[in-house]
Amino acid sequence: MRGGRRVAIVGVGYSDAGRRTGLSERHHAAQAARAALADAGLESADIDGLTTWGGNPIDFAHMLGFSPLRWHLDVGISPAFISPAIHAAHAVASGQADTVVAMRVILQQPSRANLWAGGTGMAFDAQFQHPFGDLMPAQWAGLLTNRYLHESDATEEDFANFAVTQRGYAAKNPEALMREPMTVEDYLAAPYISKPLRLLDCDYPCDSGAAVIFTTEERARDLRQKPVFVEATGLSANHDMTFELLPDMVRTSPVHCLQQLWSHTDLTAADLDCAQLYDGFSVITLQWLEALGVCEPGQAGPFVSSGGTSLTGALPTNTDGGACNVGRRHGANFCIEATRQLRGGQSGERQVADAEVALWANAVGPFSGAMLLTGA
Amino acid sequence: MTQQADLARPAPPEMVIDALSAPFWAAARERRLELQRCQDCGLFIHLPRPVCRRCGSFRLAFEPVSGRGSVYSYTETRRVFHPFFADRVPYLLASIELAEQADLRILSNLVGIAEPDVRFGMAVEVTFEDLSPDLTIPVFVPAGSLA
Ligand SMILES: [Zn+2]
């Protein structure tokens, strides 16, 4: 990142994620944070900043013995985990804190109201959604997917190939919750949730805590893991949270987000060794691929079907299997997977050889964020 | 329909209607589509907001619109996400681009048409559906089908 101290990711960790674990938000937060500290080789006393979406950073910090904090931020409705991650990185870069834990804690919940609890305007806006039977994110995703199919060259078979490719990665990831082999026929046989969106286009709800630790380059050099550096970040917001009313459902905020990100670095999309692109719904990843320019506009579907996102393709993408298979870690999995890829040798059978540059990105539509990481 | 049948039917999802949005629903009860409009720069604003995003004015009022528009996107919901809609599944949601202003969109239902017959950009017009004795919603049908 230009202008400030150089920042590195030094620790990553998950809680014991799963379906209806019975564990509380605090429990998942505690497991994830302790796992990230152990990964980094850090002690509680080393942490002087905390930010989270899900739970409260002040509460979590006391529970984990991080007191006193010099910096904390309670992140609300925002582009998933990228938001606490970007704020944590910039807190370290600016010197507001030295070693910051960024977290996303999310319990398996059925509704948008619960998923986005705390948004002051959401209850008001729901009166223009709920009476029409517009109740779940899968329905705006149906609208975005249908418009994308209309404007692009993508077909349902391309979406099937996307799901199959991701499941192939998941089969190589012991932490993925969905690892059974899947075929194009399996995808096409799965029910529509909100046509043309099918069940296997959706991320897999679960209880999950995830934590990532950011610190200075200087501190990072003494720690257990090979540092992974934050090269650039980008954020964008261009509409309220009503995805259904986006004027353009195909070219959404990732386009602007990536303009911000690339303006802060000399690297380009051609330098990427892998990409970890949000897949809360399949169409989101396809939008990011096009926003990155790794294929022509409207060509992300054929790009996927021709193997472009596979381990031997032009841009290995969502190499942990994505949230459709790893489970709804709400973006944190992409940061953790990008970090492991760049450490080298930590992604097992799905390791991208000699990976040095990775981009991870979250969300779509009204808001999004992206972070560019380097291994050296 | 008997009163007993009405009671047996699940209620529509709960809604928070306040002073800002009440004119929209009051107009719908009278089978008119009215949207918030800036009285200084003329911008239609949907969803209702306390301020105009184009000129910053707080002088906003609801005005009738033609109810004509076109289908920007649509999706057919196949799952029951609330008991009120159990006997309506599958149903069509659509983002309608209204004629009054570029990029002016409203989320609603498409009715009187089957999913395979819907086309992107097809002309539609508003009509109204009573969901309960207290709640009427604007929905859209293919243009010309109300005659
Ligand atoms: Zn105005």
Side-chain angles (χ1 to χ4, degrees), chain A residues 297-314:
Chain A
Q299 296 300 310
F303 179 77
V304 167
S305 287
S306 66
T309 60
S310 70
L311 203 49
T312 54

Side-chain angles (χ1 to χ4, degrees), chain A residues 140 142-148 150 196 244 249, chain B residues 70-75 93-97 105 107-108 110 118 120-121:
Chain A
W140 62 247
L143 293 171
L144 266 65
T145 300
N146 212 11
R147 185 71 196 186
Y148 180 78
H150 174 63
E244 297 89 326
M249 291 183 173
Chain B
S70 61
V71 174
Y72 175 71
S73 194
Y74 62 98
T75 183
L93 291 178
S95 178
I96 307 294
E97 180 159 17
R105 299 282 161 74
L107 182 280
S108 182
L110 284 177
V118 181
F120 288 91

Side-chain angles (χ1 to χ4, degrees), chain A residues 121 123-136 138-148 150-151 191-197 199 240-242 244-251, chain B residues 13-18 20-22 24-25 46-49 71-79 81-82 84-85 91-95 103 105-109 115 120-121 131 135 137-139:
Chain A
F124 175 87
D125 291 352
Q127 70 186 293
F128 298 99
Q129 299 162 335
H130 291 181
F132 304 93
D134 178 22
L135 298 144
M136 294 289 281
Q139 295 168 288
W140 62 247
L143 293 171
L144 266 65
T145 300
N146 212 11
R147 185 71 196 186
Y148 180 78
H150 174 63
E151 288 195 26
Y192 288 116
I193 304 299
S194 196
K195 188 180 177 182
L197 183 97
L199 179 66
D240 64 33
M241 251 56 69
T242 320
E244 297 89 326
L245 302 183
L246 286 169
D248 184 340
M249 291 183 173
V250 175
R251 287 154 298 272
Chain B
E14 283 186 30
M15 299 163 59
V16 178
I17 298 176
D18 67 10
L20 189 61
S21 59
F24 176 94
W25 296 111
H46 185 71
L47 308 176
R49 291 292 183 257
V71 174
Y72 175 71
S73 194
Y74 62 98
T75 183
E76 186 175 67
T77 295
R78 297 285 184 92
R79 286 278 171 109
F81 294 125
H82 184 284
F84 179 78
F85 300 97
Y91 57 90
L92 286 163
L93 291 178
S95 178
D103 298 344
R105 299 282 161 74
I106 186 169
L107 182 280
S108 182
N109 299 122
E115 189 267 344
F120 288 91
L131 287 195
L135 179 64
I137 61 171
V139 297

Side-chain angles (χ1 to χ4, degrees), chain A residues 25 50-62 72-74:
Chain A
E25 203 170 50
L50 196 155
T51 179
T52 184
W53 181 4
N56 178 282
I58 298 164
D59 177 83
F60 286 173
H62 181 254
H72 54 82
L73 179 65
D74 184 352

